[in-house]
């Protein structure tokens, strides 16, 4: 295949000092098999000089751009995270639009297009990631580029009734028509864009054949992101023996541990989750002093007022629950605002009896899949998963719950802690089988094959792209409780 050029807001290069989280794993998986360029923001802000530098590597060359502070603030803290982020997560009520922020968003997309214009070759394949660059393909087309350009949205994509609440949606969302392929985490998200193209853009076509914009046929597909299943399991097996993880587990004094790992973001449902755990302690008093909930929540976007308010509310709730139920020798909730290494998290996942992964809305949520991958198959923990996470489309053997309803989540916690070992093993084997079939190392190939035209998207339109194996299906059949979930 021709050279692959990946574009994202943040770049995890050896010298950039930044990490892109789940995006990092996904992008590196694509570039391992398709050597090329990873282009994005350097993590540095400038006053008036826009510097771009190159870090040569094998198989990845990093091209990093400094950005002007004022425009970046409008682009990132303004339009991207105070308008697009809430609306994409179905929260029109939290969106705060300003024309100045949209101007900054457009300016940064144009700047990225200018920089790419200097390095793109005619046969390069361009893969753009996430909501920061909805306008990038349009800007590249305006500069004369006819390359195959694909876009993948890592967040949810809401229905027409919500996305049209975005000011200037006809300018911003319609720009997706300049990509050759637009990919999503779930079939629901893909269908929502298809409805937008049909009702708002009036493009002729359908999900199977694509949509004719007059300049190109735009394909839409669902490509759920996975994790490095087997390698993460091996990492967890080693990590649980580390002094750090052994120290954490020893400090529990034999109590069961529930774990939650999320950025501090309103889409993650952390406040609701804490209230559900409080309800669990109230409803099932026999579990007091017998279970500890560890919530690891690195802060994010702390400059945005909504996030400041959320931090205060979450901290207040943790204090109230610990004050109400805690004892001198037991703290019900351990709340940590520091990031932990991937190795440390793998060990903690393996040592946790249950994981609370209950976002109010999430594109995928790889914590859910990493938790499953980390488990000891002989004594696995139980995944409690929000119905509104993209991962729920695949991970049906988990305990699925509505994160906004505290009683069912509290009951799910009780169910996870008391679940018989045979059922825990059955659920885990079914889940592991599912996520192994969608390993991250296979994910880039599915997207890039569709983008370069080597195959059609028939399998992506309206079908379950990741059916469980016969073994997993048999497990589900033997355990009706799993199917009923």
């Amino acid at each position: 295949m021709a050279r692959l050029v990946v574009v994202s807001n943040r770049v995890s290069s050896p010298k950039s000092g930044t990490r892109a989280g789940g995006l990092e794993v996904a992008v590196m998986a694509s570039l391992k098999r398709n050597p090329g360029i990873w282009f994005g923001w350097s993590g540095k802000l400038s006053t008036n000089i826009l510097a771009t530098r190159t870090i040569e590597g094998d198989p990845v060359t990093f091209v990093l751009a400094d950005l002007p502070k004022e425009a970046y603030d409008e682009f990132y803290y303004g339009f991207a995270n105070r308008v697009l982020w809430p609306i994409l997560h179905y929260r029109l009520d939290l969106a705060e639009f300003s024309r100045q922020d949209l101007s900054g968003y457009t300016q940064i997309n144009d700047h990225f297009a200018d920089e790419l214009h200097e390095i793109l070759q005619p046969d390069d394949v361009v893969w753009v990631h996430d909501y920061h660059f909805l306008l990038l393909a349009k800007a590249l087309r305006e500069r004369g580029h006819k390359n195959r350009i694909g876009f993948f949205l890592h967040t949810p994509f809401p229905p027409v009734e919500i996305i049209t609440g975005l000011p200037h949606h006809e300018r911003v969302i319609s720009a997706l028509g300049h990509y050759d392929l637009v990919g999503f985490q779930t079939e629901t998200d893909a269908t929502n864009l298809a409805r937008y193209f049909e009702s708002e853009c009036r493009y002729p076509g359908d999900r199977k054949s694509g949509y004719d914009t007059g300049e190109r046929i735009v394909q839409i597909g669902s490509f759920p992101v996975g994790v490095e299943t087997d390698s993460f399991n091996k990492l967890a097996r080693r990590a649980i023996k580390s002094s750090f993880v052994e120290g954490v587990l020893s400090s529990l004094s034999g109590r069961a541990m529930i774990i939650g790992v999320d950025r501090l973001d309103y889409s993650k449902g952390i406040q609701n989750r804490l209230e559900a755990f409080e309800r669990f302690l109230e409803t099932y008093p026999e579990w007091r002093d017998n279970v500890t909930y560890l919530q690891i929540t690195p802060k994010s976007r702390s400059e945005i007022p909504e996030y400041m308010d959320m931090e205060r509310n979450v901290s207040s709730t943790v204090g109230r629950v610990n004050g109400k139920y805690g004892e001198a020798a037991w703290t019900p909730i351990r709340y940590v605002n520091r990031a932990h290494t991937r190795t440390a998290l793998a060990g903690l996942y393996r040592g946790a009896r249950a994981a609370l992964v209950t976002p109010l809305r999430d594109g995928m949520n790889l914590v859910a899949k990493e938790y499953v991958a980390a488990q000891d198959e002989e004594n696995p923990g139980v995944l409690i998963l929000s119905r509104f996470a993209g991962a729920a489309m695949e991970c049906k053997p988990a305990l699925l719950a509505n994160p906004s309803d505290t009683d069912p989540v509290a009951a799910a916690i009780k169910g996870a802690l008391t679940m018989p070992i045979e059922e825990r093993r059955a659920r885990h084997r079914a889940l592991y089988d599912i996520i192994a079939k969608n390993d991250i190392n296979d994910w880039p190939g599915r997207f890039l094959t569709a983008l370069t035209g080597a195959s059609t998207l028939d399998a992506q339109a309206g079908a379950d792209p990741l059916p469980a194996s016969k073994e997993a299906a048999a497990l589900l059949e033997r355990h009706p409780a799993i199917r009923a979930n």
Side-chain angles (χ1 to χ4, degrees), residues 47-58:
T47 52
N48 50 23
I49 299 175
L50 301 177
T52 299
R53 55 192 176 279
T54 300
I55 302 174
E56 297 289 346
D58 184 20

Side-chain angles (χ1 to χ4, degrees), residues 4 6 44 76 106 139 182 238 327 345 366-367 418 437 443 453 484:
L4 175 64
V6 174
K44 296 183 179 180
Y76 184 75
T106 304
V182 182
R238 294 193 303 269
E327 300 175 5
L345 290 175
L366 295 182
V367 169
T418 59
K437 286 183 177 297
W443 176 71

Side-chain angles (χ1 to χ4, degrees), residues 134-185:
L134 299 174
L135 303 178
L136 187 56
K138 180 176 184 293
L140 288 172
R141 303 300 186 198
E142 290 170 347
R143 287 156 179 79
H145 294 283
K146 299 180 180 179
N147 306 60
R148 297 291 293 180
I149 308 176
F151 177 84
F152 187 82
L153 185 67
H154 291 262
T155 71
F157 189 84
V160 172
E161 293 77 10
I162 291 177
I163 200 64
T164 51
L166 170 68
H168 298 279
H169 68 87
E170 65 281 356
R171 170 183 170 187
V172 177
I173 303 302
S174 296
L176 290 173
H178 292 273
Y179 289 96
D180 296 289
L181 171 64
V182 182
F184 296 93
Q185 299 277 20

Side-chain angles (χ1 to χ4, degrees), residues 116-129:
L116 284 167
H117 179 70
E118 300 298 323
I119 64 174
L120 278 185
Q121 299 170 6
D123 61 345
D124 285 343
V125 174
V126 183
W127 190 358
V128 181
H129 286 265

Side-chain angles (χ1 to χ4, degrees), residues 278-297:
E278 180 180 22
R279 181 65 172 163
F280 163 76
L281 295 176
E282 177 186 351
T283 307
Y284 308 102
E286 68 273 17
W287 279 98
R288 297 176 194 172
D289 198 22
N290 286 313
V291 63
T292 295
Y293 169 26
L294 171 62
Q295 177 64 49
I296 298 174
T297 304

Side-chain angles (χ1 to χ4, degrees), residues 453-475:
S455 68
T456 67
L457 285 177
D458 290 357
Q460 304 293 339
D464 179 0
L466 298 165
S469 69
K470 292 181 179 178
E471 180 185 9
L475 287 167

Side-chain angles (χ1 to χ4, degrees), residues 353-355 381-384 399 411-420 424:
R353 181 63 177 274
V382 179
L383 173 62
I384 302 169
L399 293 180
I413 295 171
K414 168 71 174 336
L417 294 174
T418 59
M419 186 178 294
R424 282 196 279 134

